[in-house]
Amino acid sequence: MTLARVALDDKYRTAHGRVFLTGIQALVRLPMLQKEADRAAGLDTAGFVTGYRGSPLGGLDSALHEAQAHLSAHDIRFRPGVNEDLAATAVWGSQQLGLLPGARREGIFAMWYGKGPGVDRSADVFKHANHAGTARHGGVLVVAGDDHAARSSAVAHQSEHIFSACGIPVLAPAGVQDILDYGLHGWAMSRYAGLWVGLKLSADIVESSATVEIDGARVQPRLPTDYSLPADGVHIRWPDPQLAQEQRMQATKIYAALAYARANGLNRLVIDGPKARLGLLACGKAWLDLRQAMHDLGLSDERAAALGLRVMKVAMPWPLEADSVRRFATGLDEILVVEEKRQIIEYQLKEMLYDWRDDVRPRVLGKFDESGEWPAPPGQWLLPPTGDLTPALVARALASRLARLHPGGGWDTRFGLAEPAAARPAPAPLARTPDFCSGCPHNRSTRVPEGSHALAGVGCHLMAVTMERS
């Protein structure tokens, strides 16, 4: 029996419902957990999964095909998309169940998947469908696989900014258990707020493995008590004029998502010293980089607290829930935001704190140090927005802040902080030229006639450009 089938078969669960899963297997198991939760709540729902494969979600369709019997037993239908935007359009249709007569289910919860470029090309569908809304007992989870270092992509990409432009809240798991927990929260948030909800994954997360709890009752969504939805609700309806959709989106649905995040404590304070002065904020893969960096610097939770650190794990980088973040910021001198690529948390945090008095407003750093973004010469990054973040990069940035917080503590001698940049040896170049897999049809199709030249577009055949095939 394959590992995938072991992961899906209930008889292989350990005590307390724990089992060893990869991130891909967690995504397969996730809709089954949603069905179990709905069944326990007395809801007669079905699931729909569709999308288009691509690294780092390249093996998801194969895993879903292998799990067909388990999916069918949970009333979940998997249909791979012809392309990403057609798959997104099909998901949009799943939320229109209640608009038609003769529905046999109370709702359909749906999951779309695709890599970063697929998110880009589907933005039109995402925006229209998100403005239209979800069904009350439906809900949509949009799983995006981001390739930060362009290891298997034509360009490096980051999906949070596309999601925010479409009004789609983003949850960023930092591990396999988070995929399950945040996924269930995502569907619950989608139902409550009438929004599609993104789930951002990178290879470091989805290709990892862990022993996790797969109990369908592990996540118990709490509905907000400090926020009231309008009398006509937030869900899909027809007819629905465009400006009515915009009003509902801008005045209600985004705030409903924030209220859900607040009610369920999605942003979690992990370390808090008695006299905290330096705050650290991160989510997703960057959270793992931060925790490894702290370990490399010898910062246990107890020592970090004693040194005046306060650390928060953010679950939803956009929109950033203000109450928890403002409590986190209170009393701090400085906050270091550790995040992948271009700023999404940092800019929101600065806006939340800009009107605080000068004597109580902490300095917010992230991509740049205290010299600031615009006055600084280009490329003077504290945490670069290019390629992948690494624990070493984060440790170097953190050590520089600790050196200011605790002068004479030896932090400036770690990770070469006291060493002039010119004295440090240049990193050895690592060239790994991609090549076609054995049996790939592009091995033959990219050979052009003698004297001819061909150009490559988006796709794995782009590798032919570096393979001396004209």
Side-chain angles (χ1 to χ4, degrees), residues 305-445:
L307 287 171
L309 270 61
R310 182 181 295 162
V311 184
M312 174 174 276
K313 180 184 180 183
V314 174
M316 188 167 77
W318 191 90
L320 191 61
E321 196 279 304
D323 285 5
S324 60
V325 172
R326 285 177 178 143
R327 287 195 301 272
F328 166 82
T330 300
L332 297 176
D333 296 336
E334 184 174 283
I335 297 173
L336 175 63
V337 180
V338 180
E339 58 184 333
E340 296 284 346
K341 297 300 186 183
R342 271 295 182 174
Q343 299 93 318
I344 191 80
I345 295 176
E346 182 183 341
Y347 284 161
Q348 294 176 88
L349 179 59
K350 288 177 176 177
E351 185 174 3
M352 290 174 185
L353 305 181
Y354 86 98
D355 60 347
W356 284 20
R357 296 195 324 266
D358 290 347
D359 59 327
V360 297
R361 182 179 61 245
R363 180 191 301 112
V364 178
L365 311 176
K367 296 303 171 189
F368 297 87
D369 61 17
E370 58 273 8
S371 63
E373 179 167 355
W374 306 114
Q380 301 299 306
W381 310 107
L382 181 60
L383 289 170
T386 53
D388 263 331
L389 275 188
T390 66
L393 286 170
V394 177
R396 182 177 173 82
L398 177 53
S400 73
R401 309 329 301 166
L402 288 168
R404 291 176 59 89
L405 183 64
H406 296 286
W411 300 103
D412 56 349
T413 64
R414 307 189 190 196
F415 294 89
L417 290 177
E419 184 182 352
R424 295 194 297 271
L430 178 62
R432 180 183 179 274
T433 303
D435 216 317
F436 293 123
C437 305
S438 58
C440 174
H442 291 314
N443 274 315
R444 177 69 58 182
S445 66

Side-chain angles (χ1 to χ4, degrees), residues 18-94:
R18 299 183 69 82
V19 71
F20 185 78
L21 289 181
T22 67
I24 289 290
Q25 292 163 357
L27 289 172
V28 176
R29 189 82 203 206
L30 179 57
M32 302 183 208
L33 292 180
Q34 183 61 49
K35 175 62 180 183
E36 292 172 9
D38 283 349
R39 187 183 290 129
L43 293 176
D44 184 13
T45 61
F48 178 57
V49 180
T50 186
Y52 191 83
R53 65 186 179 274
S55 177
L57 301 177
L60 180 55
D61 59 344
S62 298
L64 288 163
H65 278 300
E66 188 175 359
Q68 285 280 17
H70 297 279
L71 294 170
S72 297
H74 287 77
D75 300 318
I76 298 163
R77 181 171 296 181
F78 165 55
R79 291 289 185 271
V82 175
N83 57 42
E84 295 90 344
D85 36 323
L86 286 176
T89 304
V91 168
W92 185 4
S94 74

Side-chain angles (χ1 to χ4, degrees), residues 56 144-148 200-207 285 340 388:
D146 274 354
D147 185 2
H148 294 146
K200 175 191 167 70
L201 297 171
S202 66
D204 303 75
I205 305 301
V206 79
E207 294 176 2
K285 173 191 171 290
E340 296 284 346
D388 263 331

Side-chain angles (χ1 to χ4, degrees), residues 238-249:
W238 187 260
D240 194 14
Q242 294 95 323
L243 294 183
Q245 290 184 351
E246 182 190 40
Q247 175 68 21
R248 194 179 313 118
M249 171 69 76

